[in-house]
C-alpha cells in the first residue's frame, strides 16, 4: 500500500495549474505577475511611510 502525502499532491497540482496558465495565456499571466509586483511595491512603500511618520513625529 502506498501512502500519499496530500500536501505534496496539492503542491504538484498547484504547480501544474500555474504552468498551464502560463503556457495557455502568457499575456494574462504576465499581467497578473505585474499586478502582484505593483501591489507588493505599493504595500512596502506604505509601510515605509508609516514607519517614517511614527519616528519623525
Amino acid at each position: 500500500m502506498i501512502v500519499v502525502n496530500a500536501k505534496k499532491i496539492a503542491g504538484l497540482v498547484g504547480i501544474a495549474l500555474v504552468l498551464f496558465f502560463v503556457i495557455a495565456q502568457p499575456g494574462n499571466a504576465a499581467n497578473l505577475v505585474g499586478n502582484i509586483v505593483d501591489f507588493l511595491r505599493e504595500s512596502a512603500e506604505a509601510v515605509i511611510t508609516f514607519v517614517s511618520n511614527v519616528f519623525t513625529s
Side-chain angles (χ1 to χ4, degrees):
M1 182 186 278
I2 298 175
V3 178
V4 180
N5 187 351
K7 191 174 184 180
K8 186 175 183 179
I9 291 176
L12 291 174
V13 169
I15 291 170
L17 288 173
V18 168
L19 286 174
F20 174 76
F21 182 60
V22 168
I23 292 168
Q25 298 180 5
N28 288 339
N31 287 337
L32 178 63
V33 171
N35 289 340
I36 291 171
V37 169
D38 286 342
F39 172 76
L40 292 174
R41 181 182 45 79
E42 290 171 3
S43 298
E45 289 174 355
V47 170
I48 290 168
T49 301
F50 171 76
V51 171
S52 296
N53 287 334
V54 166
F55 288 112
T56 58
S57 295

